[in-house]
Amino acid sequence: MGGVGVATSDRPINLFRNMTAKVAAIPMILTVLFVFVGGTVWTVTYSFTSSKLLPKLKFVGLDQYERLWSTNRWIISIENLFIYGICSLIFSFVIGFVLAALMDQKIRFENTFRTIILYPFALSFIVTGLVWQWILNPEFGVQNIVRSLGWTGFVFDPLYNADIVIYGILIAGLWQGTGLIMVLMLAGLRGIDEDVWKAARVDGIPAWKTYLFIVIPMMRPVFVTTLVIIASGIVRVYDLVVAQTSGGPGIASEVPAKYVYDYMFQSQNLGQGFAASTMMLLAVAIVVIPWAYLEFGGRKRG
Amino acid sequence: MRSLGILLGATALVAATSAGATELEVTHWWTSGGEAAAVSELAKAFNASGDVWVDGAIAGSGGVARPIMISRIIGGDPMGATQFNHGRQAEELVEAGLMQDLTDVADAQGWKDIIHPSSLLEACTLDGKIYCAPVNIHSWQWLWLSNAAFEKAGVAVPTNWDEFVAAAPALEAQGIIPLAVGQQSWQTSGAFNVLMVSLAGKDIFLQVYDEKNAEVAAGPDVARVFKAADDARKMSAKSSVQDWNQATNLVITGQAGGQIMGDWAQGEFQVANQVAGEDYTCLPGLGVNEIISTGGDAFYFPKLNDAEKTEAQKRLAALLVTPEVQVGFNLKKGSLPIRGDVDLAAANDCMKKGLDILAKGNVIPDPNQLMSPDSIGQINDLFVEFFNDASITPEDAQARFAEIVGNAD
């Protein structure tokens, strides 16, 4: 709220300044209050009840949470989310940035390449998941092709091996998502003033050093936006798993969002689903609140 | 949520008044070839009686369809009638007063006397009132064997589970998967339940699933069942198909020796033009304990504000139980009728075996009728994990099973 100095003696009350803007914001404020905050409070409240198919206010304390954390499937879900999250974060950033940097070398047909790389993002997760289910299927996909080329001992069946199945899902996720990250990064790179590059060149700084020590620090806002987009994608990963493995083999590729859905709608145990979704919210809050504090709390000092 | 409900209710009202008064929308998840043919029998009968059947098939299995049906009923946009598995899936909807009471129809037709076994009607009853019309009986306890596979392996077609386990090495030597199991979680737990009732007997089964006795679940009788499940796990290690009908197809084509699956698998054999006794063998109760469970499908009728529709609902409920509809529907569906007094001369060998067992009264309720979907879900999770992870010992799995049973409701 930068004060656009209304430097008159009869200064209007703060509340009525920018009246139209405030009126316009009312629907959004109401939405936030009732849908987001209200829905969250409702969910957390009912996670302490024994609600089954229909929500009922019969409180059972922390029972749902105790059960949740003693359930093998939930533990595996959390581990998978952790592996998927860390890998997805690192690879999205690295691949996205490298692609963007390459794209930024004033290459020919940049538009074409950009479109090709961004294109997977136009596909839904369900389609992506099905496509990669076929590609990774040992009988039709990569393994079969390599074997037919002569390497008959070649084994590549991530979706059928419980130990590495989550990486099979990661591959599909990265294929779908890195295009967008690349475009965001490219926009960031284009936002860097040409003069910075000229100055660096005059000083004889090699290009990789310019990227690492000058350009990347200047791209901080873009990185923050990208981080939020990737992180939200990680927490809600669901459809990809459903399309590729539906949680299998066994329960090796279960994820928290799928746990929530299955318990709320298939097992008809709302309380358990709410407890699980509250834990997901808590996990997000633990990451977001310190970050928001640093990001927005810090700005006042500057 | 509430305003959404009102909105949905309002649109439903508009739709209802503009349509004919005795149109009933019926939702179900019967979408495969044989199932769709069976539903059309019901629709034909209802249309012939002067009302209009509006088909609301929902693709996907029950797991996909049920949440949609439930959210429509809760959200204030109820359909005229809907399929559920009779049991506890709709229990809370009935308790919440969202379902039509059918007691007067049942009394008028004397359902108490004609519906056999009586457990079917009990599953529809809450506080002495009847809320659903059962339409068929599906049983789980069948072992389907490929005669060709055993011929190739050079062993006689087994007549019980132990012979089947003993024949497994011979099958494997020929590159045949001894036991086909799909990866969907309900299939593995279903197979386990079959092992339980067939090998440990009816009493143990009821003590575990009906009385939820954790001590019995942790005891030596159930330990034997887990041992058998361990055998089944080893025999199915190479089976990597997903859906149950893909697994059945392995048996049909002789790539697998056998499959533990409910009587709906029979439809697949029929579609493939295979003859019971010649091309395939069916062993009810795994050839050990000839007993079948009486799960199945029932129609529930959500409460509607339209008196005319309510009357149509009752007419449909009455129609579903009549002998003609029962015969027409169940022959197409491959399931057993809910009354013992109808003539199923056209039934095949396996169906006749089933009818015979039913007539003798060797029946148990389905776990769906005894346990809440929540407990069933936990058991499904346990067995899909057990069948896919050879590092879980039968003892560990049994301990976890006993814990679920102890906490079940």
Side-chain angles (χ1 to χ4, degrees):
Chain A
M1 287 287 156
V4 187
V6 189
T8 45
S9 53
D10 54 341
R11 196 186 156 106
I13 315 166
N14 241 354
L15 191 67
F16 293 110
R17 255 197 306 165
N18 275 334
M19 210 33 204
T20 33
K22 278 173 185 163
V23 170
I26 286 176
M28 195 56 216
I29 291 170
L30 288 180
T31 312
V32 167
L33 276 184
F34 287 100
V35 180
F36 297 157
V37 179
T40 306
V41 171
W42 192 88
T43 303
V44 173
T45 311
Y46 278 88
S47 75
F48 295 105
T49 68
S50 63
S51 300
K52 291 283 186 190
L53 175 63
L54 304 172
K56 279 179 196 150
L57 272 176
K58 209 175 130 200
F59 288 100
V60 290
L62 287 170
D63 278 10
Q64 299 284 13
Y65 291 90
E66 274 167 28
R67 177 172 150 193
L68 183 68
W69 285 104
S70 62
T71 304
N72 212 12
R73 181 172 157 188
W74 174 252
I75 307 288
I76 289 174
S77 303
I78 293 288
E79 284 170 7
N80 279 339
L81 186 67
F82 205 69
I83 297 173
Y84 180 87
I86 299 277
C87 294
S88 166
L89 208 58
I90 294 172
F91 285 111
S92 295
F93 264 106
V94 172
I95 298 174
F97 185 79
V98 169
L99 282 177
L102 292 177
M103 213 51 91
D104 199 30
Q105 305 306 310
K106 303 197 172 57
I107 52 166
R108 230 187 270 194
F109 305 122
E110 189 204 309
N111 283 342
T112 317
F113 284 117
R114 213 169 48 202
T115 310
I116 291 173
I117 296 175
L118 185 60
Y119 201 75
F121 190 68
L123 301 180
S124 71
F125 267 135
I126 290 286
V127 176
T128 309
L130 283 176
V131 168
W132 279 92
Q133 189 198 25
W134 292 328
I135 296 177
L136 298 177
N137 185 309
E139 266 142 55
F140 314 119
V142 177
Q143 177 177 316
N144 185 32
I145 291 168
V146 176
R147 281 190 182 183
S148 66
L149 291 175
W151 288 277
T152 46
F154 181 78
V155 177
F156 185 65
D157 56 348
L159 297 187
Y160 294 86
N161 182 338
D163 297 327
I164 56 169
V165 61
I166 194 68
Y167 299 101
I169 290 166
L170 179 71
I171 292 174
L174 287 177
W175 178 80
Q176 204 252 9
T178 38
L180 178 74
I181 307 302
M182 180 203 74
V183 171
L184 287 171
M185 297 277 185
L186 192 57
L189 284 174
R190 293 279 151 83
I192 305 286
D193 199 331
E194 199 64 20
D195 291 343
V196 173
W197 278 103
K198 283 179 188 155
R201 222 166 292 145
V202 168
D203 284 347
I205 304 169
W208 67 270
K209 267 194 171 171
T210 317
Y211 270 120
L212 219 55
F213 297 111
I214 301 172
V215 174
I216 290 183
M218 287 177 78
M219 279 171 63
R220 195 186 131 114
V222 176
F223 277 109
V224 171
T225 312
T226 314
L227 182 76
V228 172
I229 289 174
I230 298 176
S232 70
I234 292 167
V235 178
R236 67 195 159 115
V237 59
Y238 167 79
D239 17 18
L240 205 53
V241 176
V242 170
Q244 274 190 288
T245 63
S246 47
I251 54 172
S253 59
E254 293 288 346
V255 286
K258 185 162 178 294
Y259 186 94
V260 171
Y261 178 84
D262 285 354
Y263 269 89
M264 276 166 69
F265 297 109
Q266 296 195 345
S267 292
Q268 302 182 354
N269 189 340
L270 285 180
Q272 182 69 180
F274 289 154
S277 51
T278 305
M279 290 315 303
M280 285 174 72
L281 177 72
L282 204 64
V284 173
I286 286 173
V287 176
V288 168
I289 290 175
W291 166 77
Y293 184 75
L294 284 177
E295 191 65 23
F296 301 114
R299 191 147 297 169
K300 278 177 197 137
R301 278 173 309 193
Chain B
M1 191 76 198
R2 199 191 161 83
S3 61
L4 186 71
I6 293 169
L7 195 70
L8 284 173
T11 47
L13 206 67
V14 172
T17 44
S18 63
T22 46
E23 271 186 6
L24 276 192
E25 185 192 2
V26 187
T27 53
H28 56 84
W29 58 85
W30 287 321
T31 49
S32 85
E35 290 172 339
V39 171
S40 72
E41 288 290 322
L42 299 181
K44 249 188 279 170
F46 192 55
N47 290 339
S49 74
D51 295 309
V52 182
W53 172 291
V54 181
D55 201 71
I58 300 173
S61 60
V64 178
R66 273 193 300 275
I68 299 173
M69 295 167 175
I70 291 171
S71 68
R72 274 190 61 182
I73 296 169
I74 299 176
D77 178 28
M79 61 296 281
T82 184
Q83 172 203 7
F84 280 110
N85 295 120
H86 42 62
R88 300 182 54 182
Q89 286 166 354
E91 189 179 77
E92 283 198 49
L93 296 176
V94 174
E95 281 172 8
L98 292 165
M99 290 297 179
Q100 189 66 46
D101 178 4
L102 302 172
T103 314
D104 49 346
V105 181
D107 286 346
Q109 280 195 317
W111 286 9
K112 280 209 174 76
D113 307 315
I114 55 174
I115 290 180
H116 175 83
S118 58
S119 64
L120 294 178
L121 201 56
E122 278 161 29
C124 285
T125 310
L126 192 89
D127 297 330
K129 289 181 181 161
I130 292 165
Y131 291 94
C132 66
V135 289
N136 64 358
I137 300 170
H138 269 306
S139 53
W140 246 107
Q141 290 71 15
W142 298 84
L143 177 59
W144 308 93
L145 298 167
S146 161
N147 291 5
F150 287 96
E151 205 172 296
K152 193 177 168 196
V155 286
V157 178
T159 56
N160 62 43
W161 174 255
D162 290 333
E163 287 179 28
F164 182 42
V165 176
L171 290 168
E172 271 177 336
Q174 293 294 322
I176 298 168
I177 305 163
L179 183 68
V181 179
Q183 297 294 317
Q184 292 163 330
S185 58
W186 58 272
Q187 295 182 43
T188 44
S189 61
F192 173 80
N193 290 339
V194 174
L195 288 169
M196 167 103 86
V197 70
S198 305
L199 303 180
K202 183 177 176 177
D203 293 340
I204 298 289
F205 177 87
L206 287 179
Q207 276 168 13
V208 170
Y209 284 102
D210 196 10
E211 292 161 30
K212 282 102 185 171
N213 188 330
E215 267 173 53
V216 175
D221 291 302
V222 177
R224 275 214 313 279
V225 181
F226 270 92
K227 211 104 217 103
D230 191 30
D231 289 336
R233 174 167 70 177
K234 285 175 194 143
M235 287 159 73
S236 66
K238 291 214 175 72
S239 154
S240 63
V241 290
Q242 275 288 334
D243 297 336
W244 68 267
N245 49 343
Q246 291 172 333
T248 310
N249 197 47
L250 291 179
V251 179
I252 291 172
T253 54
Q255 296 173 56
Q259 181 191 18
I260 298 175
M261 185 47 63
D263 53 9
W264 48 91
Q266 198 158 244
E268 300 293 309
F269 287 99
Q270 262 168 12
V271 170
N273 285 323
Q274 296 216 330
V275 180
E278 281 175 35
D279 303 305
Y280 68 99
T281 304
C282 55
L283 297 178
L286 308 182
V288 185
N289 257 324
E290 292 215 340
I291 203 163
I292 57 176
S293 65
T294 54
D297 302 292
F299 277 94
Y300 285 78
F301 300 85
K303 253 188 201 152
L304 299 175
N305 288 330
D306 184 330
E308 261 182 83
K309 287 213 171 206
T310 306
E311 283 309 306
Q313 285 180 323
K314 289 185 175 171
R315 285 199 292 275
L316 178 58
L319 184 78
L320 292 173
V321 184
T322 56
E324 302 76 43
V325 172
Q326 278 294 310
V327 171
F329 175 75
N330 284 306
L331 279 179
K332 290 260 168 71
K333 185 85 167 67
S335 49
L336 303 176
I338 48 122
R339 44 197 295 168
D341 58 352
V342 293
D343 180 29
L344 278 185
N348 70 14
D349 276 6
C350 289
M351 253 172 110
K352 281 190 178 133
K353 275 189 199 175
L355 284 169
D356 204 35
I357 297 168
L358 201 58
K360 281 188 208 147
N362 287 337
V363 292
I364 48 166
D366 190 80
N368 274 324
Q369 291 163 317
L370 301 172
M371 276 193 170
S372 69
D374 182 30
S375 307
I376 301 269
Q378 285 177 286
I379 292 173
N380 284 349
D381 283 350
L382 170 63
F383 282 103
V384 75
E385 199 184 345
F386 178 75
F387 269 83
N388 280 285
D389 185 353
S391 69
I392 303 175
T393 64
E395 290 77 22
D396 289 347
Q398 189 181 3
R400 280 171 58 188
F401 178 69
E403 198 185 314
I404 295 171
V405 171
N407 293 329
D409 50 10

